[in-house]
Amino acid sequence: MLEYLHLTNVGPAPEMELELASRLNLITGDNGLGKSFLLDVAWWALTRRWPQDVNPRLTSSYTARPTIPKDPATIEFRMKSKTKSVAYTSKYIPRDESWLGKAGRPWNPGLVIYAQSDGSFSVWDPARNYWKTKGNVDVQERLPGYVFSPKEVWDGLNVETEGKVNRVCNGLLADWANWIREKGDAAKNMKNVLSRLSPSKAIHDRLEPGPLTRISVFQDARDIPSLKTGYSKAVPILHASSGVRRVAALAYMLLWSWQEHRLAARQLGEEPAKQVILLIDELECHLHPRWQRSILRSLLDLARVLHRSATIQIIAATHSPLVLASAEPFFDAKRDAWFDLDLTPDGHAGHVDLRKRDFVRLGDISNWLTSEAFDLKEPRSIEAEEAITEALDLLRKTSPSATDVTRVNHLLKKSLSESDRFWGRWSEFRESREAAK
Ligand SMILES: Nc1ncnc2c1ncn2[C@@H]1O[C@H](COP(=O)(O)OP(=O)(O)O)[C@@H](O)[C@H]1O
Ligand SMILES: [Mg+2]
């Protein structure tokens, strides 16, 4: 479990500090304020490698660079390893363009899975990516992690080690097709995971595997897994919508990493990990509002089933008011936390602030839009917001001109719905003016 991060002079803010909660951590903030960056740093702290360094085919998750190159930069972190809390402060070494590592064996945070927003995935497995012992000496000969570009999640991952290319993962298409052919536990587990991640239990909502299919008579000999939908018995997974593919990839990566980890641990005569950490960027990515509302709860439920004997920590970035609203029934300040990034005006420019916020229930989802999480002035169109701002200005004036009132009335008519609750206030204002004449 990751317990603490403290960044100085690195990334978008001069300083960022967060004391993470043990179960769920939600991160909100405008585009470009550092949500994905914080997840990259969390992954690095846990595994000590930047995803881009492990797999240059990624188009994000580069080594963190100091904000002001000539000033010292540090990343301090604390995590719960297998046995105890451990902390380290790493310094940036400009000459090497890298972060100074702790000497000796790294800490073991448990199984770490990072779902990036573009469909890349990174997995760090304590049974397969940890150090080997040769005699009494620790040597790092194993892979530093499994880092998949979006295409490699589907088609498989090859990794070159010591001049030899090894197939380290077959990918979703081949593995899932094989699981279906074997008719064993793996196919059942995939079906179960997909069902749990579905937007609801309703038959038309449930992600239900169909038969193996082909997508081309002449050009593609692969058997492609399919899904049943409300209108078809078999949509090849390659033709499925972006939302469905995102969730299928998530289901596969969660299952693949856990199954392979258990297998490796058994072969090594070790216990499976007692901690699982899931980092997930833009949790709502490609999902319809109905699905955005259920995905977080589904993930927590799934974790409980998949990792019965392990604790699970989720660190998720989101832009969705539905995700925050969906956490209201179960959010528990003892084990959950919400962090928000804001741009605070500062002279001519501004600076990024990271703050832990009190999570209070807001009920109506539009209340989330106007909360500190999303900072909208009005949960309406830009035109409606401008019209209401002008109307409120007039309401505050002692003697607003008739032309202004007519003009603003016209703007409101153009941008508000007939049933908008603002009409109540506006009509009252107009009636009181009529009465005063
Ligand atoms: N490797 C890096 N080194 C230093 N700063 C970075 C790095 N990657 C991203 N950043 C900082 O983070 C900002 C982008 O933030 P990002 O996390 O992608 O935003 P979002 O909140 O939308 O996910 C950039 O403007 C830059 O300041
Ligand atoms: Mg981002």
Side-chain angles (χ1 to χ4, degrees), residues 50-190:
W50 299 97
Q52 236 295 316
D53 282 349
V54 180
N55 185 344
R57 291 176 294 282
L58 294 203
T59 53
S60 59
S61 307
Y62 285 82
T63 304
R65 312 255 316 162
T67 317
I68 300 167
K70 63 175 177 35
D71 289 352
T74 56
I75 303 177
E76 183 186 350
F77 59 87
R78 192 175 74 239
M79 68 164 101
K80 200 180 265 158
S81 78
K82 230 169 159 178
T83 46
K84 56 180 189 310
S85 265
V86 284
Y88 183 66
T89 304
S90 176
K91 290 193 183 73
Y92 186 74
I93 312 295
R95 212 172 257 282
D96 302 339
E97 296 204 318
S98 70
W99 292 86
L100 197 64
K102 180 181 84 68
R105 197 170 246 241
W107 294 308
N108 177 348
L111 182 64
V112 191
I113 302 164
Y114 180 14
Q116 281 124 300
S117 61
D118 66 349
S120 313
F121 273 89
S122 304
V123 176
W124 191 89
D125 178 342
R128 294 180 292 156
N129 303 127
Y130 203 43
W131 286 27
K132 250 163 68 167
T133 305
K134 252 191 189 167
N136 287 329
V137 188
D138 288 337
V139 277
Q140 211 217 324
E141 278 174 2
R142 299 222 167 99
L143 290 182
Y146 298 88
V147 178
F148 300 78
S149 67
K151 195 166 163 52
E152 287 160 342
V153 173
W154 292 77
D155 294 341
L157 178 65
N158 293 330
V159 174
E160 198 184 314
T161 25
E162 291 162 10
K164 220 174 104 212
V165 176
N166 295 307
R167 183 82 167 160
V168 295
C169 174
N170 292 321
L172 182 155
L173 292 175
D175 268 345
W176 192 8
N178 275 337
W179 297 343
I180 293 171
R181 283 190 213 99
E182 285 166 12
K183 296 195 175 91
D185 283 346
K188 268 191 225 143
N189 291 343
M190 185 68 177

Side-chain angles (χ1 to χ4, degrees), residues 147-272:
V147 178
F148 300 78
S149 67
K151 195 166 163 52
E152 287 160 342
V153 173
W154 292 77
D155 294 341
L157 178 65
N158 293 330
V159 174
E160 198 184 314
T161 25
E162 291 162 10
K164 220 174 104 212
V165 176
N166 295 307
R167 183 82 167 160
V168 295
C169 174
N170 292 321
L172 182 155
L173 292 175
D175 268 345
W176 192 8
N178 275 337
W179 297 343
I180 293 171
R181 283 190 213 99
E182 285 166 12
K183 296 195 175 91
D185 283 346
K188 268 191 225 143
N189 291 343
M190 185 68 177
K191 183 178 157 124
N192 192 2
V193 171
L194 283 171
S195 160
R196 285 179 179 275
L197 292 180
S198 302
S200 86
K201 293 262 177 292
I203 196 87
H204 57 273
D205 264 347
R206 214 165 53 216
L207 295 176
E208 170 109 20
L212 292 172
T213 52
R214 291 283 171 105
I215 56 164
S216 164
V217 179
F218 307 110
Q219 285 155 20
D220 197 338
R222 293 173 305 171
D223 291 324
I224 308 293
S226 71
L227 288 172
K228 293 179 188 158
T229 66
Y231 50 83
S232 164
K233 286 196 171 63
V235 171
I237 188 71
L238 290 173
H239 291 183
S241 69
S242 318
V244 167
R245 276 182 289 135
R246 158 91 162 167
V247 171
L250 185 61
Y252 169 69
M253 283 304 345
L254 292 175
L255 206 54
W256 177 82
S257 40
W258 187 240
Q259 282 178 180
E260 293 294 315
H261 169 66
R262 295 252 297 230
L263 193 69
R266 200 177 315 136
Q267 281 175 358
L268 299 170
E270 292 170 4
E271 285 284 306

Side-chain angles (χ1 to χ4, degrees), residues 18 24-28 283 296 314-318 323-324 327 330-331 336-340 355 359:
L18 64 173
L24 174 66
N25 296 274
L26 291 168
I27 308 176
T28 55
L283 185 56
L296 183 58
I314 296 183
I315 309 175
T318 182
V323 166
L324 280 134
F330 59 81
F331 195 97
D336 303 326
W338 164 35
F339 302 94
D340 185 36
R355 251 174 299 176
F359 189 94

